[in-house]
Amino acid sequence: MNERSYGELVGKNKKETVKVHGKDQVKRWRRSYDEPPPPMCDQHKYHPARDPRYRSMKHLIPKSESLKDTKDRSRVYWDEVIAPELKDGKTLLIVGHENNLRSLIMRLEDIPEEEIINLCLPRAVPLAYRLDENLKPMDRPDGKLDEATGYL
């Protein structure tokens, strides 16, 4: 799955973007549930339509996405690929970009929209889930929460 579209922010330096738009606004664009960044113009240097892999689906490429949009898009992959494999008893390794993972964790952990802005994912630290028959996380054997996310 592709990472969410950050619209006009794609290719821009985060520190410079904070200087222009402010720390709080950039955090909302990056972490809030339903506030997408400014849309990407068609002439943007990094517009996905310039990539030959997307030629047949240019009309489907979003101009920008919120986490809600990413969650809606990842739901298809969850429903059609991940959940059936898990229900067949398979162990999966899911490696992804931050917002695709955040959308999956939000679904697994039932994290409310207003709280997802506070979920920080560690870089290069695996998160292991044991799921019950309903594909919901089981409590850890030690009863603790994950140190990296505060969940699990």
Side-chain angles (χ1 to χ4, degrees):
M1 290 187 302
N2 287 345
E3 172 60 320
R4 75 181 259 202
S5 170
Y6 280 97
E8 275 301 309
L9 304 182
V10 171
K12 295 187 177 172
N13 179 290
K14 189 166 116 181
K15 288 182 183 179
E16 292 299 319
T17 304
V18 167
K19 285 181 185 177
V20 172
H21 299 284
K23 183 179 178 180
D24 290 339
Q25 180 61 64
V26 172
K27 182 178 181 181
R28 286 195 313 271
W29 284 334
R30 292 185 70 237
R31 298 261 180 94
S32 71
Y33 182 67
D34 58 2
E35 186 173 347
M40 180 182 280
C41 69
D42 291 338
Q43 294 74 35
H44 194 286
K45 178 180 177 180
Y46 298 109
H47 197 291
R50 298 178 185 274
D51 187 324
R53 294 175 294 179
Y54 301 108
R55 280 197 183 122
S56 66
M57 59 179 76
K58 290 179 183 179
H59 64 288
L60 297 174
I61 299 171
K63 301 284 186 186
S64 72
E65 291 179 291
S66 64
L67 178 59
K68 179 185 183 303
D69 299 324
T70 305
K71 185 179 177 201
D72 290 345
R73 187 166 45 84
S74 70
R75 179 182 48 237
V76 175
Y77 193 66
W78 173 268
D79 291 344
E80 295 180 9
V81 178
I82 297 172
E85 295 286 321
L86 291 170
K87 287 180 180 180
D88 281 346
K90 294 184 180 173
T91 298
L92 303 179
L93 173 65
I94 300 171
V95 180
H97 296 283
E98 183 175 11
N99 282 286
N100 282 320
L101 296 174
R102 288 174 78 231
S103 71
L104 293 173
I105 292 170
M106 185 179 185
R107 177 184 320 280
L108 283 170
E109 299 282 354
D110 295 323
I111 299 172
E113 298 169 13
E114 61 276 2
E115 288 183 28
I116 195 62
I117 197 167
N118 299 314
L119 176 64
C120 297
L121 296 181
R123 300 276 194 274
V125 176
L127 303 174
Y129 281 87
R130 291 180 322 120
L131 303 176
D132 65 18
E133 64 278 353
N134 297 311
L135 303 183
K136 287 298 179 187
M138 297 169 59
D139 290 337
R140 287 173 43 154
D142 61 10
K144 296 181 181 177
L145 295 177
D146 184 77
E147 291 178 21
T149 65
Y151 291 97
L152 303 178

